[in-house]
Amino acid sequence: MVQLKEFRIVMPMSLEEYQVSQMYMVMKMQQQSSNGAEGVEVLENRPFQDDEFGKGQYTSKVYRLQSKAPAWLTSIAPTDALVMQEEAWNAYPRCKTVIKCPYFTKFSLTIETVHRADNGTSENVHGLNEEQLAARQVETIDIASAETDYWSYAIGSSNFDFSKFKSAKTGRGPLLDGWQENCSPVMTAYKLVTIDAPYWGFGYRLEQALLAGERALFIESHRNCFGWIDEWFGMTMQRIRELEQQGDCLLNEKISKPILLTDAADCEQSFSHNSERQVQQVIHT
């Protein structure tokens, strides 16, 4: 059964700031979660242009998440069942991500994201038809509330207490009850997740598990976007792109994979000792 769920994540920042914060967060979280056995392998990271999105950045990645698999899943599938292939088209403020699992060949998960300068009150940013709207579930996520379920534990949970947090650079925070109503600047990431695992006996359970996993990832990643604001605030898009490229090279070195997104000479040339030190500072900050 195809499931359709829209997550609305309200953020205390502008659309322009969010673009930088998201790229910084993705780079840092990927570095922190990757090691010799598990993590993220970047196959491709390049500009693209097409009729659907216009201009943007295309990425192809492999996520090795074996240790994150719940016990019930490992009882019916090998540990590499949570090796995921991801393709993403980032034409901010619109993005699309498609995730597939080589082990479950019929499985598909698509995330379509629209970013708006509002506080989560837009009702149909994805242009769904009446049938889709009837099937859609909607959940508004509050980044100020911490979660304690299995997937939050498996993905990792930051220690930010946003009821006491205050950014040194921007003065934003703390985030108290009802902060979304009076926040300025403010924006919302509207993430529409479509998931289908047509397997008799366990397909629905797999869909629910992966929806819960995506939800936990949305919460943790967006908490980090705001929690790390004093690290990325003031960075230019050019600088964040440079760090991203250098981080991709370091990721593939960590998991002992060949560098496919560019040739080795280009990577070595762009990844100076100073740049490597800066990426390492990002990881350990």
Side-chain angles (χ1 to χ4, degrees):
M1 176 182 175
V2 177
Q3 298 198 52
L4 200 65
K5 185 162 185 177
E6 181 181 296
F7 296 92
R8 301 176 181 179
I9 308 110
V10 183
M11 298 293 291
M13 59 188 68
S14 69
L15 283 173
E16 294 76 17
E17 290 168 347
Y18 178 83
Q19 186 177 18
V20 174
S21 77
Q22 188 206 34
M23 291 177 65
Y24 182 90
M25 171 273 297
V26 169
M27 176 184 62
K28 184 167 181 174
M29 287 185 68
Q30 287 181 165
Q31 295 288 347
Q32 290 180 337
S33 64
S34 297
N35 53 48
E38 289 190 357
V40 185
E41 176 190 355
V42 181
L43 303 179
E44 202 170 355
N45 186 346
R46 58 171 174 79
F48 81 93
Q49 183 172 359
D50 64 19
D51 294 336
E52 181 180 1
F53 292 103
K55 293 182 179 181
Q57 196 76 10
Y58 169 82
T59 56
S60 175
K61 301 177 183 179
V62 175
Y63 289 83
R64 293 177 172 82
L65 308 170
Q66 296 92 317
S67 67
K68 313 291 187 187
W72 70 265
L73 182 57
T74 58
S75 69
I76 61 172
T79 55
D80 63 359
L82 273 188
V83 173
M84 300 289 189
Q85 296 175 341
E86 177 196 274
E87 288 186 288
W89 295 263
N90 188 342
Y92 193 82
R94 293 179 60 211
C95 307
K96 181 178 180 178
T97 302
V98 176
I99 298 174
K100 296 182 179 180
C101 178
Y103 186 81
F104 297 108
T105 56
K106 297 178 183 178
F107 163 83
S108 66
L109 190 156
T110 301
I111 305 168
E112 297 169 276
T113 306
V114 174
H115 303 91
R116 288 277 181 91
D118 63 24
N119 62 352
T121 55
S122 296
E123 286 305 319
N124 190 14
V125 299
H126 299 281
L128 303 182
N129 60 37
E130 291 186 5
E131 183 180 355
Q132 291 170 320
L133 287 172
R136 179 192 64 171
Q137 303 174 58
V138 176
E139 178 180 354
T140 299
I141 288 175
D142 183 359
I143 64 167
S145 61
E147 299 289 325
T148 57
D149 60 7
Y150 168 81
W151 282 105
S152 297
Y153 172 78
I155 288 172
S157 181
S158 57
N159 296 318
F160 298 116
D161 182 353
F162 289 136
S163 68
K164 301 176 181 178
F165 176 91
K166 192 174 184 67
S167 163
K169 288 187 177 180
T170 67
R172 295 175 201 169
L175 302 182
L176 304 177
D177 287 347
W179 65 268
Q180 303 96 326
E181 303 302 321
N182 304 300
C183 185
S184 181
V186 67
M187 57 79 58
T188 300
Y190 293 84
K191 293 185 171 289
L192 182 68
V193 180
T194 305
I195 186 169
D196 186 22
Y199 292 96
W200 184 85
F202 69 93
Y204 179 76
R205 191 175 185 183
L206 180 61
E207 291 170 355
Q208 290 297 103
L210 292 174
L211 266 178
E214 288 295 332
R215 178 184 183 276
L217 182 59
F218 294 157
I219 294 173
E220 179 65 7
S221 60
H222 285 78
R223 282 174 59 82
N224 286 337
C225 277
F226 184 54
W228 292 334
I229 188 170
D230 288 340
E231 298 175 31
W232 57 258
F233 188 81
M235 279 191 180
T236 63
M237 283 299 296
Q238 179 181 353
R239 182 61 188 139
I240 202 73
R241 285 287 182 205
E242 291 170 356
L243 287 174
E244 181 185 51
Q245 181 182 4
Q246 295 149 7
D248 288 349
C249 296
L250 186 58
L251 274 177
N252 287 0
E253 289 178 5
K254 277 186 176 184
I255 59 175
S256 302
K257 294 293 181 180
I259 299 164
L260 300 180
L261 72 164
T262 183
D263 64 49
D266 287 344
C267 195
E268 183 176 356
Q269 182 179 3
S270 68
F271 204 8
S272 65
H273 291 301
N274 183 53
S275 296
E276 181 175 4
R277 185 164 57 250
Q278 289 174 327
V279 174
Q280 291 289 356
Q281 287 173 348
V282 167
I283 300 169
H284 298 294
T285 300

